[in-house]
Amino acid sequence: MRRSTSSPIAKTEWLCALGAALLALLAALSLFVGKYPLTLSGLLGGDEMQLRVFWTLRFSRMLAGAAGGFALGAAGFVYQTVFRNPLASPDIIGVASGASAGAAAGILFFSGAAAITVSAFAGALAAVVLSLALAGLDRSGRGGTIVLAGIAVHSLAQTVLMCLKLTADPERELASIEYWIMGSLNGISLHTAVGNLLLCGACLLVLFLLHRQLLLLSAEEGEARMLGVAVGRLRLVVLLLATLAVSCIVSLTGLISFVGLLAPHAARLLTRNNRSGTMVLSGLLGGVLLLAADLLARSVAATELPVSIFTSLLGAPFLVLLIVRGRKTV
C-alpha cells in the first residue's frame, strides 16, 4: 500500500530529511567561517597552511559541534521519555555539575587540555554513578527517586566546585574554570576528541536499538510491568547510556545549555509522536542548534564568545514559538 504523504511517519521522515540538510549546510559553513580565511580553491590546490587549519582546527570543531549537538538532543529525548516530562534534561541527575567539578580539579591540579577533558569526564561519570547508586537504595522502583538523588548529587558537586574555586588563582585558574563552565568548541582536536566521539556513538547506537523498550518506559509502570518489562533495570541502563553519551561531549566542550532541553521538545511538537524518527529528529535539531550557535560565537565579535550564550539566545525564542504554535493547533 502506498504511504500517504500526510501520514505521521511520512511527516517525520520529511522533517528528518529537512533537518539533515540544514545540519549539512551548517557543517559546511562551519568549515569556512573563522579568523583565518579558507577557500575551496586553496584547499583543493594543496595550500599547506589552509590544509593545516582545516584539519587541525575547523574539521574537528565542526565534527564536535555536529556530533555533540546530536548526542545532547538524542539524550534529551531519552530523559524526557523516561521521566515523562518535557522539561527533563541530561542535567537532571548531576552530569553537568559533576563535569564542572571534575574540570575545575583538572585545571587546578593537572596541565593540558587532555587532562582537563579526562577530569571532566571522570567527574560527570562519578556523579551519574553516585546518583544511580543512591536511587538504587529505594527498592520501590519509583522514577522520582532518581530525580531526588540527582538533586542531592548536584548540590554536592556544586559545593565541591565552590571549594575548588576558592583555592584557584583569581587571575589565571579561576578565569579558566569560569570559561570552561560557559562552554566552547574552541581548541578541540581530533586527537583529544576521537575517543570521546567513538564512545558517545556506541552509547547512542545501543539507545536507538533499545527504542522500543524505551517507549515502554513512557507508559505507566504497572502497564510496563504487565508487558514483562523490568522497569527499574531498564531505566537504569538507558539513563546510564544517555548520561555516558552526554559526559563524552561535555568533557570536551564544557557546559552547553539548552540543547538537551530544547531539541527533543521541539521535535515532539513538530512530529506529534514518540517514534524512533522523533529521536533522530531530536539529534538533528540539537546539531543544528549547536552549530548555529558556534558560528555566531566566533563571528559576531572580535574575540570568541561562549557558545552557551547563543544556544540560549537561539533556543529560548524558538521554544516559545513552538509552544505558542502547539497551543494554537490543539
Side-chain angles (χ1 to χ4, degrees):
M1 180 181 294
R2 186 176 180 180
R3 181 182 298 171
S4 171
T5 55
S6 61
S7 69
I9 296 177
K11 179 183 178 182
T12 302
E13 290 176 350
W14 180 82
L15 287 169
C16 286
L18 184 62
L22 185 56
L23 182 61
L25 175 62
L26 289 173
L29 285 175
S30 178
L31 295 173
F32 292 93
V33 172
K35 300 303 179 185
Y36 189 88
L38 296 183
T39 62
L40 189 59
S41 59
L43 293 173
L44 295 177
D47 185 286
E48 183 178 350
M49 182 57 69
Q50 289 200 32
L51 287 173
R52 185 179 301 174
V53 171
F54 180 86
W55 290 112
T56 305
L57 301 176
R58 302 286 174 79
F59 182 77
S60 55
R61 183 169 189 154
M62 179 276 294
L63 188 62
F70 189 95
L72 292 173
F77 176 91
V78 172
Y79 278 84
Q80 293 177 10
T81 300
V82 170
F83 294 115
R84 299 193 292 273
N85 187 340
L87 298 180
S89 70
D91 300 339
I92 202 168
I93 57 175
V95 58
S97 52
S100 299
I107 291 170
L108 288 176
F109 304 120
F110 304 101
S111 61
I116 297 172
T117 298
V118 172
S119 298
F121 181 79
L125 194 58
V128 173
V129 171
L130 182 56
S131 295
L132 296 180
L134 290 175
L137 297 177
D138 182 5
R139 301 298 181 183
S140 65
R142 295 173 299 178
T145 306
I146 300 177
V147 178
L148 294 175
I151 293 172
V153 171
H154 169 77
S155 300
L156 176 61
Q158 286 297 313
T159 302
V160 172
L161 178 61
M162 285 188 288
C163 292
L164 291 173
K165 283 183 177 181
L166 288 174
T167 62
D169 178 5
E171 294 183 0
R172 190 167 48 88
E173 295 169 337
L174 184 59
S176 297
I177 292 172
E178 294 293 347
Y179 187 78
W180 190 94
I181 290 174
M182 289 187 288
S184 174
L185 300 183
N186 187 31
I188 296 176
S189 67
L190 286 178
H191 175 71
T192 58
V194 63
N196 290 50
L197 293 179
L198 287 175
L199 180 56
C200 177
C203 293
L204 291 178
L205 178 61
V206 177
L207 286 172
F208 275 103
L209 292 175
L210 290 174
H211 181 263
R212 289 184 181 274
Q213 292 87 337
L214 178 63
L215 289 184
L216 293 175
L217 293 178
S218 64
E220 292 296 330
E221 285 199 20
E223 298 177 7
R225 294 183 192 280
M226 288 178 61
L227 294 172
V229 178
V231 176
R233 186 180 304 170
L234 180 60
R235 182 190 292 120
L236 291 179
V237 168
V238 296
L239 286 178
L240 183 59
L241 288 170
T243 310
L244 186 57
V246 172
S247 302
C248 292
I249 300 303
V250 299
S251 63
L252 285 173
T253 64
L255 301 186
I256 305 295
S257 62
F258 227 89
V259 176
L261 172 65
L262 170 67
H265 192 61
R268 283 195 181 89
L269 286 174
L270 289 171
T271 63
R272 302 266 179 204
N273 65 63
N274 221 21
R275 296 185 176 94
S276 58
T278 304
M279 186 173 177
V280 174
L281 182 61
S282 299
L284 292 172
L285 291 178
V288 167
L289 179 58
L290 185 51
L291 281 180
D294 183 53
L295 285 170
L296 291 173
R298 52 177 145 150
S299 60
V300 299
T303 58
E304 184 170 327
L305 299 174
V307 72
S308 283
I309 294 176
F310 296 97
T311 56
S312 299
L313 288 176
L314 289 172
F318 185 47
L319 182 58
V320 172
L321 177 64
L322 287 170
I323 292 172
V324 171
R325 177 180 177 273
R327 286 181 175 176
K328 287 181 178 180
T329 56
V330 171

